[in-house]
């Protein structure tokens, strides 16, 4: 309830229209997703069109916990490669050029961060 009140106060102070909220992405904690008093439920009371989704980064962190070691090492290599490219502006620009030349629809990477559980 307190989280919703803080969020609602921020929305009102900044003159935002809550009815235009179409989606909320959270970590899946009960305080956020509770059926009656979770933040998502309270936002739904204000705007019925809103849809809740579970954060993909948190889903990935949960999936990795039970992932076989062989697959985890592949994921770790991919994360290391992405973070290497994103670590320097020049690497990102070169990656962008490479993707352009290959005709890729996507030309940017998102930096991988660790999930910090409270």
């Amino acid at each position: 309830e307190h989280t919703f009140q803080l969020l609602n106060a921020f929305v009102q102070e900044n003159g935002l229209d809550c009815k235009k909220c179409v989606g909320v992405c959270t970590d899946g904690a009960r305080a956020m997703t509770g059926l009656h008093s979770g933040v998502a439920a309270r936002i739904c009371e204000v705007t019925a069109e809103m849809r809740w989704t579970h954060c993909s980064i948190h889903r990935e962190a949960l999936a990795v916990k039970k992932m076989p070691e062989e697959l985890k090492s592949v994921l770790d290599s991919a994360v290391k490669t992405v973070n290497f490219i994103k670590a320097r502006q020049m690497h990102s620009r070169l990656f962008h050029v490479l993707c352009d030349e290959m005709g890729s629809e996507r030309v940017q990477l998102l930096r991988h961060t660790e999930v910090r559980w409270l």
Side-chain angles (χ1 to χ4, degrees):
E1 181 64 29
H2 181 67
T3 304
F4 174 75
Q5 290 172 354
L6 289 172
L7 178 63
N8 195 41
F10 176 84
V11 167
Q12 289 175 354
E13 286 172 17
N14 291 284
L16 302 173
D17 184 2
C18 220
K19 296 197 185 301
K20 292 184 179 179
C21 177
V22 294
V24 173
C25 181
T26 71
D27 62 358
R30 187 179 244 6
M32 300 301 276
T33 63
L35 185 60
H36 301 290
S37 62
V39 173
R42 298 281 282 132
I43 293 172
C44 246
E45 291 173 6
V46 177
T47 174
E49 300 298 316
M50 189 278 298
R51 297 289 175 252
W52 171 82
T53 58
H54 191 259
C55 175
S56 61
I57 294 172
H58 285 90
R59 280 189 274 174
E60 182 239 350
L62 291 171
V64 167
K65 286 183 176 184
K66 295 184 178 185
M67 184 179 283
E69 192 55 43
E70 299 84 24
L71 291 177
K72 186 165 180 344
S73 69
V74 172
L75 179 63
D76 289 344
S77 294
V79 167
K80 189 175 179 180
T81 302
V82 167
N83 287 343
F84 174 79
I85 292 169
K86 293 298 290 181
R88 299 217 189 305
Q89 193 67 10
M90 187 170 111
H91 296 166
S92 290
R93 286 192 304 266
L94 289 172
F95 182 78
H96 188 286
V97 170
L98 175 67
C99 290
D100 269 345
E101 289 177 356
M102 293 174 53
S104 177
E105 288 183 32
R106 306 283 188 260
V107 295
Q108 290 183 329
L109 295 171
L110 298 176
R111 186 170 183 88
H112 185 275
T113 58
E114 293 296 320
V115 173
R116 292 173 38 194
W117 301 97
L118 300 177

